[in-house]
Amino acid sequence: MKPILTRRNFIQKAAQLTGSGYTAMTALNLIPASPAKALSLEGHGQGKRIIILGAGMAGLAAAYELGKLGYQCTVLEARERAGGRVWTVRRGTKEKELDGPEQTCQFDEGQYFNGGAMRIPHHHQSVIRYCRELGVPLENFNNTNEGAYYYCEGGKGELANKRIRQRELHNDMRGYTTELLAKAMDGQALDLPLTKEDRDKIIEYLIAEGGLNANKLYKGGSRRGYLTPPGAYEQSGKMADAPALLSLVQAGYADPYFYNVAEYTYEQQNTMLMISGGTDRLTDAFVKRIGKKIVYGAAVKEIRKGENGARVVYTDTKSGTEKELLGDFCICTIPLPVLSTIENDFSSNVQRAIDLIPYNNTCKIGLQFKRRFWEEDDSIFGGMSRTNLDITQIVYPCADYLTPKGILIGCYNYGSSAERVGNLSLGDREKLALEQGGKIHPQYRQEFEKAFSLAWQKIPYSLGGWALYSPEARQRYYPALLQPEGTIYFAGEHTSYLTAWIAGAFESALRTVESIHQRAQKQALN
Ligand code: PHE
């Protein structure tokens, strides 16, 4: 029997990519999209003490909102900086992975890449609202670029191991598949209850959609680009013949690796946005408002529920001394792989959730080049090239066009590719990024200057990219994180259906603030 695509397995399939069935569930109208509403809570916190663990996006937003309501917050942050996985790598940035030597970023002044969050879906209203409220400017993030490349290694035939422009593959595959459908419709092979008129309409649509000729055949055309583009006088433009469908298939371009991710997933559809000048500007905007509440270099060691409030023991990493903090409530935003190393007296359900919810690996390698050859030679302005090699993607900057130098994210990968790359030494990562990326851009060899690389699964105080829920983990372990442990609440992207997005951090923070405030207001009445 053929497998049937049910709502359930559609959601499960979609969940395999981000670990969240959110996309599929919103598509099926089962849950509403990320809400736009700001908090509007009545009452005053009366200076009740809130301990917030982690100055990432969830912790910062919680401190900001609770501050507005009159609570007294202390944010403990293990690092010497705020922002967590919202972080931009610039000249002088330092990082030391678990088993690695310290890296100091040597990029030129003004050059940067977003080591963590880099793009914002246009419907993530909670993020956009904070940008508006805090005066953080947004610009377009070109998530799609038909002029960027696909490169499949290891295939057969005339297209094997050759880079192709995304527009070529998109148009060719669309052309051939619509041709197949148009033929099937025409021959009445599809057992559909259609009138002749309906059928003609669909065929007309398929011809337009696929760029078919009057005989319903796909023969390429200008949409897929030119060998020589149109120009002045007699330069009429020379088109290439479309390769045969079989050539594309044999070269590996029918592999799901090369599906049209940006257009076909809800989160990555144009228009996407980014924060002008680097995502850390969002961190800075919060820090400007609540900076005094953050204690840096405070590595949490113990979290205790306590009778009348929470008790947190932390190490002051500068002096090595242990300190204790008491609060009426605590919000713990610490990523689960890190939390799993911290002593606590949580219930067994929560401990299981902390230990068993999987996280995704992810690496990013920033490469500084002497010249923006991708703009000058290849006409690529933003977007990504994609490949089945371990680097997975090359992300082009969509800011500061035409300036002399630039930084590519020469590797942005997940899962097992990220595990392999993360296990290499810094030197070998650089070599791999240059070697694999050089297959798409031969200019790499000439133009490369400096690299800075990150494997988030090895970065202290993160130990992973983002929570990657399997449907089973979501069902079994997730619910435990949504209940407070006494006066301790959990927040962060891992406590949302918007995992791997800033919006998940914000929305979980807002929900938690709301819950704490309601409880505190009730206590005040008693
Ligand atoms: N939000 C991250 C990004 O935009 C991680 C992610 C990757 C989420 C792919 C969904 C899909 O890169």
Side-chain angles (χ1 to χ4, degrees):
M1 234 183 57
K2 276 202 194 133
I4 301 164
L5 191 66
T6 62
R7 278 179 163 211
R8 179 181 305 280
N9 62 31
F10 172 61
I11 292 169
Q12 283 172 351
K13 279 209 163 65
Q16 281 161 11
L17 180 67
T18 58
S20 155
Y22 177 83
T23 316
M25 289 173 64
T26 45
L28 294 173
N29 283 328
L30 295 178
I31 46 174
S34 180
K37 103 180 148 50
L39 278 186
S40 67
L41 300 173
E42 307 271 309
H44 194 276
Q46 311 293 347
K48 272 197 191 307
R49 294 156 310 161
I50 319 278
I51 309 172
I52 298 173
L53 308 180
M57 286 302 116
L60 292 173
Y64 175 65
E65 294 297 340
L66 287 164
K68 285 195 221 167
L69 285 164
Y71 290 86
Q72 188 196 318
C73 299
T74 306
V75 186
L76 298 182
E77 170 53 55
R79 295 179 165 110
E80 293 300 326
R81 63 165 181 87
R85 286 162 281 170
V86 168
W87 182 44
T88 304
V89 175
R90 307 168 185 279
R91 184 175 188 79
T93 297
K94 289 186 196 306
E95 187 55 71
K96 187 180 172 327
E97 292 177 11
L98 287 183
D99 50 1
E102 184 163 76
Q103 276 183 96
T104 303
C105 179
Q106 308 286 353
F107 294 156
D108 288 12
E109 207 57 64
Q111 300 291 338
Y112 64 88
F113 76 100
N114 290 312
M118 66 177 179
R119 53 185 164 185
I120 301 162
H122 61 263
H123 45 80
H124 280 186
Q125 287 286 358
S126 57
V127 185
I128 293 162
R129 198 169 42 71
Y130 273 127
C131 290
R132 197 178 283 124
E133 185 169 332
L134 305 178
V136 176
L138 287 169
E139 27 184 320
N140 270 338
F141 179 90
N142 294 12
N143 202 48
T144 50
N145 186 341
E146 292 294 294
Y149 294 105
Y150 285 134
Y151 174 74
C152 183
E153 184 149 293
K156 293 185 299 202
E158 53 164 341
L159 295 178
N161 305 322
K162 283 196 187 130
R163 66 177 192 186
I164 58 175
R165 299 272 187 179
Q166 293 186 10
R167 65 169 77 94
E168 299 175 49
L169 184 69
H170 291 162
N171 282 294
D172 293 345
M173 290 307 277
R174 197 183 293 132
Y176 287 124
T177 48
T178 48
E179 177 185 310
L180 287 171
L181 259 180
K183 280 182 190 156
M185 298 292 298
D186 214 18
Q188 303 190 15
L190 285 185
D191 193 13
L192 292 174
L194 296 174
T195 62
K196 160 127 188 19
E197 209 178 35
D198 295 335
R199 234 182 357 251
D200 288 348
K201 281 231 157 69
I202 296 173
I203 290 172
E204 200 186 339
Y205 165 79
L206 291 170
I207 287 175
E209 174 71 12
L212 309 184
N213 67 17
N215 298 325
K216 306 179 198 69
L217 296 176
Y218 177 68
K219 294 287 176 199
S222 64
R223 318 174 156 192
R224 61 188 305 291
Y226 292 86
L227 283 177
T228 322
Y233 289 97
E234 65 282 353
Q235 192 179 324
S236 60
K238 193 168 176 312
M239 285 186 275
D241 290 334
L245 177 59
L246 197 62
S247 300
L248 291 164
V249 174
Q250 288 182 339
Y253 287 110
D255 187 300
Y257 230 91
F258 296 101
Y259 93 107
N260 211 345
V261 61
E263 279 177 70
Y264 293 173
T265 64
Y266 178 55
E267 286 100 343
Q268 293 196 46
Q269 282 163 4
N270 272 337
T271 300
M272 292 200 83
L273 303 162
M274 66 175 184
I275 288 165
S276 307
T279 320
D280 61 351
R281 300 270 161 96
L282 180 59
T283 308
D284 298 347
F286 277 110
V287 170
K288 210 166 100 191
R289 272 124 184 132
I290 58 152
K292 289 198 196 87
K293 298 174 180 164
I294 307 174
V295 183
Y296 293 100
V300 174
K301 232 184 126 220
E302 261 179 67
I303 308 172
R304 304 289 174 196
K305 279 191 277 201
E307 278 290 290
N308 303 309
R311 184 169 72 88
V312 174
V313 180
Y314 66 95
T315 309
D316 172 351
T317 55
K318 268 177 246 110
S319 64
T321 50
E322 244 175 50
K323 295 188 172 164
E324 187 185 86
L325 199 60
L326 300 174
D328 297 300
F329 294 99
C330 172
I331 302 177
C332 176
T333 74
I334 299 175
L336 301 180
V338 180
L339 191 51
S340 144
T341 66
I342 294 172
E343 279 179 56
N344 63 65
D345 55 4
F346 300 150
S347 64
S348 57
N349 275 351
V350 170
Q351 294 197 356
R352 270 194 327 160
I354 293 170
D355 292 341
L356 298 175
I357 290 169
Y359 267 59
N360 210 349
N361 304 315
T362 187
C363 296
K364 273 189 180 170
I365 305 181
L367 304 171
Q368 181 179 303
F369 290 98
K370 284 184 212 128
R371 115 187 137 84
R372 294 182 167 229
F373 55 82
W374 55 93
E375 295 175 6
E376 283 177 37
D377 307 347
D378 297 272
S379 305
I380 295 176
F381 296 88
M384 280 138 235
S385 285
R386 302 211 336 258
T387 170
N388 61 343
L389 298 172
D390 271 344
I391 58 167
T392 306
Q393 307 175 76
I394 297 173
V395 185
Y396 305 96
C398 36
D400 306 320
Y401 293 143
L402 313 188
T403 52
K405 293 193 179 185
I407 294 194
L408 298 182
I409 300 178
C411 166
Y412 175 29
N413 56 12
Y414 323 110
S416 55
S417 301
E419 190 183 352
R420 280 192 293 277
V421 172
N423 286 341
L424 300 175
S425 68
L426 298 177
D428 285 346
R429 287 185 205 168
E430 178 181 312
K431 228 170 95 197
L432 176 112
L434 293 177
E435 202 177 283
Q436 296 190 347
K439 296 183 181 195
I440 299 174
H441 291 294
Q443 300 97 320
Y444 266 34
R445 231 154 294 138
Q446 280 286 319
E447 314 291 350
F448 171 69
E449 288 188 328
K450 288 153 197 162
F452 191 92
S453 89
L454 302 168
W456 280 97
Q457 64 273 20
K458 291 192 166 180
I459 294 189
Y461 310 121
S462 292
L463 300 184
W466 50 82
L468 184 69
Y469 282 98
S470 59
E472 192 209 359
R474 182 69 81 177
Q475 195 189 17
R476 276 212 194 169
Y477 309 127
Y478 180 65
L481 298 177
L482 310 184
Q483 306 299 325
E485 277 286 294
T487 54
I488 301 165
Y489 290 71
F490 300 97
E493 54 88 28
H494 54 282
T495 64
S496 77
Y497 279 91
L498 292 157
T499 52
W501 295 104
I502 298 171
F506 282 159
E507 296 202 14
S508 65
L510 295 177
R511 280 290 292 265
T512 306
V513 166
E514 216 165 16
S515 306
I516 290 179
H517 185 58
Q518 275 162 7
R519 190 159 149 196
Q521 292 298 104
K522 256 193 227 146
Q523 283 172 357
L525 288 177
N526 290 337

